[in-house]
Every structure is written in C-alpha cells, then in structure tokens.
C-alpha cells in the first residue's frame, strides 16, 4: 500500500502547497535555481522542493514512477534518501562559516537521490551520492541526444541489501511487454550500488521521500549554451516551474 500522506514533512514548499490525500498520484513544482547538491567548500545547496517521511523501522525498499515535461538542462526529479539528522533547508553561508570555525565542520548527513534527469539533450536515469566530503553524479542516457523519444517516464527503486543501497530503474513503456512476474523482474536495470550507505546508521535515522529541482536559471550565457547544443529554448517557458508527476509511491 502507498504510505500515509500524514506521515510526510515538506521542505522548500510554497505556502499554497497542499499535501495529497493519497501518494498514488501527485506533483511537485520546482522553480529555477532549485537544487539538492553538495560541493566543497560551500557545503550544501538544499533548495529543492522535497517531501519525506522519517522511518520508524528498518528501511527495505522504495519505488516511484516519475514523469515531467523536461525542458531545461538538469531538470530532474525522483527519490531521495537521507541517513543521519532530519534534513533541513540550506544553512546560510555566513552561518555555515561561523559554525565551521567553532565546531570544525557544518552539520551534514549522507544522502542519495536517484531518478530521471534531462542532461546534454536527452533524458537520463541519474543518481547522486553525497557524503560529508562532497557529492558525485552519474547518468545513463535513455535515448540519443537531441532526438525525439517516447520515453516519457521512469520507475526508480531504492533497495537495501545489507549495508548497501542498490539503485534500480525501469522504463514503464517497455514493461507492458513482459507478461509474467519473472519477465517483469527482468526489465529492472541496475544503475548503481552504494556500498557504504547504511553502514553505521541507526534505523530511526533514515528519511525517505521524493524531490524535484530545476538547477538552471536561463541567463544569456545559458541560452547561448543551449542553442549551441541544440537544446530546446522556448521564451514562453523560460523562468517557469518544472512540474514533476509522481505515481505509485511505495516505501517499506
């Protein structure tokens, strides 16, 4: 069964946001310059809209299907999982500097986000892993760059295997051609294995949810870059929000 919406907490949500009555079908909107990222020496950027639940039991698996009208470079949405303190919004840079000077480092938790991302002219299955030292990125193209594709959605899965977090993805448009449970299972592709994620983490310190972000803010330089790479530029959409649709969210 989908999780209870009343158990979720929101970050970076507009005042007008109303939590859905069911987690089977809902949306998150992200404006330009919103992101979940970690890069030294500036620390965290946590401006992406997120809704999450803090688990009271051992995490097993989470799944969701993501879709959106991907338009700008780095448009993205998917699952996110935090290990450590309850996630909060970004610490202002001056506050973070004072905190580091007095205590040695800013408070951080490790996290992983995984989902669908528009990058370099195509849709990708992508993931980011973050430790207190920084973050990385990996992506697997789902179609050729700058070509029309009928891959409009992606189902992403996070699974605990011992201390590791395994990241899987599935293209829903291909899954209907599988007519048996075994065949459906074979449509899952492994994107990544994060071997260290749950090591040393208490079960009650795991927080899981979904996010959406639009890191790009189309300045003149951004517009020229996108034109050079053949990416879509539409004055009617510039500065607008990315709306990511989530279906059949499951967390166990």
């Amino acid at each position: 069964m989908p999780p209870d919406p009343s158990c979720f907490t929101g970050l970076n949500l507009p005042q007008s946001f109303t939590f859905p009555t069911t987690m089977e079908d809902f949306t998150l909107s992200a404006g330009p310059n919103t992101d979940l990222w970690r890069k030294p020496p500036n620390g965290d950027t946590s401006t992406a809209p997120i809704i999450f639940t803090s688990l009271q039991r051992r995490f097993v698996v989470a799944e969701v299907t993501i879709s959106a009208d991907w338009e700008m470079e780095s448009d993205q949405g998917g699952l996110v999982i935090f290990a450590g303190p309850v996630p909060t919004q970004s610490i202002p840079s001056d506050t973070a500097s004072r905190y580091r000077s007095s205590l040695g480092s800013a408070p951080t938790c490790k996290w992983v986000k995984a989902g669908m991302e528009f990058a370099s002219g195509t849709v990708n299955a992508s993931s980011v892993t973050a430790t207190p030292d920084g973050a990385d990125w990996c992506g697997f193209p789902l179609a050729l760059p700058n070509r029309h594709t009928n891959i409009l959605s992606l189902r992403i899965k996070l699974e605990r295997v011992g201390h590791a977090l395994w990241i899987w993805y599935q293209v829903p448009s291909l899954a209907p051609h599988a007519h048996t449970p075994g065949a459906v299972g074979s449509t899952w592709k492994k994107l990544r294995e994060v071997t260290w994620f749950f090591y040393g983490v208490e079960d009650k310190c795991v927080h899981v949810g979904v996010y959406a972000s639009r890191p790009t803010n189309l300045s003149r330089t951004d517009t020229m870059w996108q034109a050079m790479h053949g990416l879509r530029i539409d004055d009617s959409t510039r500065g607008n929000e990315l709306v990511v649709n989530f279906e059949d969210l499951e967390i166990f």
Side-chain angles (χ1 to χ4, degrees), residues 52-236:
F52 69 92
T53 182
S54 298
L55 300 184
Q56 303 301 315
R57 63 190 184 282
R58 183 182 178 88
F59 173 79
V60 179
V61 67
E63 292 185 28
V64 75
T65 299
I66 316 112
S67 60
D69 185 8
W70 313 106
E71 296 176 320
M72 295 185 184
E73 180 74 7
S74 299
D75 277 359
Q76 60 190 267
L79 289 170
V80 60
I81 183 168
F82 300 87
V86 175
T88 60
Q89 299 180 44
S90 293
I91 300 174
S93 57
D94 57 341
T95 303
S97 297
R98 292 196 299 269
Y99 192 100
R100 280 192 291 269
S101 63
S102 60
L103 296 181
S105 62
T108 56
C109 63
K110 49 188 175 181
W111 51 261
V112 169
K113 64 178 182 179
M116 199 170 189
E117 180 172 352
F118 185 76
S120 299
T122 192
V123 287
N124 297 261
S126 70
S127 71
V128 171
T129 67
T131 70
D133 295 323
D136 62 19
W137 179 89
C138 78
F140 182 82
L142 301 174
L144 293 174
N146 307 316
R147 299 287 183 87
H148 174 75
T149 174
N150 60 357
I151 300 177
L152 303 177
S153 64
L154 190 73
R155 189 154 184 86
I156 202 79
K157 175 165 66 174
L158 304 179
E159 180 183 12
R160 178 170 185 161
V161 181
H163 294 309
L165 178 70
W166 288 14
I167 304 173
W168 304 85
Y169 71 93
Q170 181 188 73
V171 179
S173 60
L174 302 180
H177 300 290
H179 300 293
T180 66
V184 171
S186 69
T187 62
W188 284 103
K189 305 297 182 183
K190 191 174 181 180
L191 179 64
R192 198 166 192 180
E193 180 178 342
V194 187
T195 61
W196 43 262
F197 189 76
F198 293 104
Y199 183 76
V201 176
E202 295 184 51
D203 292 343
K204 65 180 180 180
C205 294
V206 175
H207 321 278
V208 188
V210 298
Y211 83 100
S213 74
R214 170 163 273 180
T216 300
N217 184 15
L218 281 185
S219 64
R220 178 178 176 83
T221 301
D222 296 322
T223 303
M224 293 176 61
W225 186 91
Q226 290 206 347
M228 289 174 61
H229 288 77
L231 304 183
R232 177 178 175 182
I233 301 172
D234 185 345
D235 286 337
S236 67

Side-chain angles (χ1 to χ4, degrees), residues 15-81:
Q15 292 184 347
S16 60
F17 181 83
T18 301
F19 276 88
T21 57
T22 174
M23 308 308 285
E24 292 181 350
D25 192 351
F26 62 97
T27 62
L28 279 181
S29 298
N33 280 334
T34 54
D35 202 2
L36 178 62
W37 186 237
R38 177 174 291 165
K39 184 177 181 179
N42 298 324
D44 284 1
T45 300
S46 302
T47 52
I50 299 170
I51 59 173
F52 69 92
T53 182
S54 298
L55 300 184
Q56 303 301 315
R57 63 190 184 282
R58 183 182 178 88
F59 173 79
V60 179
V61 67
E63 292 185 28
V64 75
T65 299
I66 316 112
S67 60
D69 185 8
W70 313 106
E71 296 176 320
M72 295 185 184
E73 180 74 7
S74 299
D75 277 359
Q76 60 190 267
L79 289 170
V80 60
I81 183 168

